[in-house]
Amino acid sequence: MILPSIWNTKAAILTMKINQQYKTRPVRFIDLYHHDGWVIKMYGISVVNEVVSQSNISNARNQLTLWLENTKLYPLDTYNIATLILHEGKEGCFAIINWWIDESMLQQFVYLAKKESPDVFEIYSDKGIITCVWEMAILWFERNAWVKHVLMNAESPDITAYLAEHFNADV
């Protein structure tokens, strides 16, 4: 395998710069939100507060009907269960919404409400962005809960137990 030229020299590695030292952020379960026949497991992460602001929660909830239209992009089962992560970061509030499709695949969309226009969420994942290191902790937790309660119990998936498991940690 040929590595890109930047990695071929020790000097290039030594000049790589990380702009901000990693700091833990609080990940907090917000609630199970019911919307148009869906159950949404809502989480918050904030770079500035212990919990996500109520205005960002309300703004995101107001977008759910539109965001859930994306479930029609694939003709696969969705189970009407989603996970929504609201992440207040330096750019604004990211909204990462995903749901399980066809039993074991995750469909995800990322939106951003910039600080200059906090009431307007715009699609952010159309250029390939997936998620950040803090959000990945929630997705990993949700993956494990889905496997444990649903996929490992194919004869009688325990959706109630899956919905009852929540992640709260500083990651």
Side-chain angles (χ1 to χ4, degrees):
M1 178 167 121
I2 299 174
L3 295 174
S5 61
I6 190 171
W7 298 112
N8 288 335
T9 66
K10 190 174 185 179
I13 293 172
L14 294 176
T15 61
M16 186 172 78
K17 183 177 177 178
I18 304 298
N19 293 321
Q20 188 174 0
Q21 179 73 30
Y22 180 89
K23 294 180 183 171
T24 61
R25 295 182 184 179
V27 173
R28 302 294 179 254
F29 175 74
I30 297 170
D31 68 2
L32 288 177
Y33 186 68
H34 296 264
H35 179 81
D36 289 343
W38 280 75
V39 179
I40 295 104
K41 291 176 86 170
M42 293 186 68
Y43 289 95
I45 305 171
S46 181
V47 70
V48 292
N49 297 307
E50 178 69 18
V51 294
V52 173
S53 74
Q54 190 58 48
S55 64
N56 281 327
I57 294 170
S58 295
N59 289 341
R61 285 180 175 162
N62 290 336
Q63 299 297 314
L64 285 172
T65 299
L66 177 66
W67 294 346
L68 291 171
E69 284 292 313
N70 290 322
T71 62
K72 297 175 183 171
L73 294 174
Y74 290 101
L76 302 171
D77 291 333
T78 61
Y79 318 106
N80 288 31
I81 300 169
T83 301
L84 175 61
I85 303 167
L86 299 176
H87 189 167
E88 294 173 337
K90 62 184 177 188
E91 300 88 350
C93 183
F94 288 91
I96 301 91
I97 188 165
N98 55 67
W99 46 83
W100 295 105
I101 63 170
D102 197 34
E103 297 178 7
S104 60
M105 293 184 290
L106 199 60
Q107 186 173 12
Q108 177 172 282
F109 293 86
V110 180
Y111 299 88
L112 173 62
K114 295 179 182 174
K115 289 186 177 183
E116 313 76 75
S117 52
D119 296 338
V120 180
F121 279 97
E122 296 179 3
I123 190 74
Y124 197 76
S125 59
D126 59 336
K127 295 185 179 53
I129 195 163
I130 298 175
T131 193
C132 76
V133 295
W134 294 277
E135 297 149 6
M136 287 177 77
I138 297 170
L139 295 178
W140 182 248
F141 174 86
E142 289 297 319
R143 175 257 181 221
N144 291 336
W146 186 257
V147 168
K148 176 181 166 184
H149 297 294
V150 177
L151 298 181
M152 292 182 78
N153 296 303
E155 293 299 316
S156 104
D158 193 347
I159 298 299
T160 302
Y162 168 73
L163 292 172
E165 271 199 53
H166 311 134
F167 185 64
N168 288 290
D170 293 338
V171 296

